[in-house]
Amino acid sequence: MPSADEVKNRIEAAIPGAEAVVQTPDEVHFSAHVRASAFDGLSRVQQHRLVMDIFGGELGGAIHALELKTEAT
Amino acid sequence: MSDTQIRDLIAEAISDNELILFMKGTPEQPACGFSMRTVAMLQSLDVPFAAVDILPDPRIRQELSALSNWPTIPQLFHNGELIGGCDIVTEMYESGELATTLGVQTPADAPAEAPTGDPAQAAPMGIENRLG
């Protein structure tokens, strides 16, 4: 089971300049607030895709749910 | 039914319905909190929508995600475009952008904060599910 830190680190490593605040009550359900300059000019759907693509098949599996809020900086 | 036929039916449902929600369960009986919340937001805007339950056949979800390039459920489409999942719909609901995008006036009694959905309040909706 991934920890909040692990999820945060993976997001920040995959998206240059990203800052992620990740919370999880149980290491299965996660919520992440991600701010990144890489989001600039992208639609919300595209921003969310960038983050969700990091986890691929883990979504719905080890990561049962990832609640996302994204923001361009 | 082949995977391709399922994908064609999904594509057809998306293009035939101005507003369509792919969800777990039905608007009357959502099978997941995120689907329930999304239904509750649409209902509080009084906007009609078609709903497809993805649970009866795992290939519905598989083909939908392949088509939309979006891994999670629910997925809301408007005029053939993916609006997003529960998080994006929530953000847009609370900013008023959802009502604007859908071309409706926010009803006076609609809660400012996104409703989480109470099954007791869920009114029966027309469901179109040709994929089951």
Side-chain angles (χ1 to χ4, degrees):
Chain A
M1 288 195 297
S3 67
D5 272 352
E6 196 180 325
V7 170
K8 169 188 164 72
N9 292 340
R10 285 175 66 188
I11 293 172
E12 291 180 349
I15 303 174
E19 277 176 47
V21 178
V22 178
Q23 292 176 313
T24 175
D26 52 12
E27 304 199 332
V28 182
H29 300 81
F30 293 84
S31 72
H33 186 173
V34 187
R35 295 156 46 91
S37 53
F39 291 152
D40 204 21
L42 301 182
S43 70
R44 280 200 198 86
V45 163
Q46 291 168 324
Q47 294 174 1
H48 280 229
R49 270 192 194 122
L50 274 186
V51 179
M52 291 190 295
D53 284 350
I54 301 167
F55 302 100
E58 290 165 80
L59 287 182
I63 298 175
H64 180 76
L66 177 62
E67 216 175 309
L68 266 184
K69 193 172 162 71
T70 54
E71 211 178 306
T73 54
Chain B
M1 197 183 289
S2 75
D3 293 2
T4 316
Q5 284 172 312
I6 290 179
R7 196 186 295 205
D8 288 348
L9 279 177
I10 293 170
E12 205 179 302
I14 292 170
S15 67
D16 285 355
N17 293 282
E18 191 180 327
L19 188 62
I20 182 166
L21 179 68
F22 292 84
M23 62 181 291
K24 292 183 181 173
T26 62
E28 297 83 7
Q29 279 201 306
C32 156
F34 299 104
S35 290
M36 181 162 72
R37 281 159 53 185
T38 308
V39 165
M41 288 183 266
L42 295 176
Q43 288 179 339
S44 70
L45 289 183
D46 263 338
V47 62
F49 62 98
V52 175
D53 181 3
I54 60 109
L55 292 176
D57 187 330
R59 294 178 302 169
I60 302 173
R61 177 179 184 162
Q62 175 194 311
E63 294 305 315
L64 171 65
S65 288
L67 194 75
S68 62
N69 188 21
W70 192 263
T72 56
I73 303 294
Q75 297 184 22
L76 182 67
F77 291 81
H78 181 241
N79 290 337
E81 291 279 327
L82 176 65
I83 288 190
C86 182
D87 298 332
I88 290 179
V89 174
T90 301
E91 213 177 308
M92 291 176 71
Y93 178 92
E94 291 181 343
S95 70
E97 200 183 334
L98 185 63
T100 311
T101 302
L102 301 181
V104 297
Q105 293 282 338
T106 304
D109 59 353
E113 196 173 308
T116 53
D118 177 351
Q121 292 174 351
M125 301 288 298
I127 301 173
E128 180 172 358
N129 190 348
R130 289 171 294 160
L131 304 163

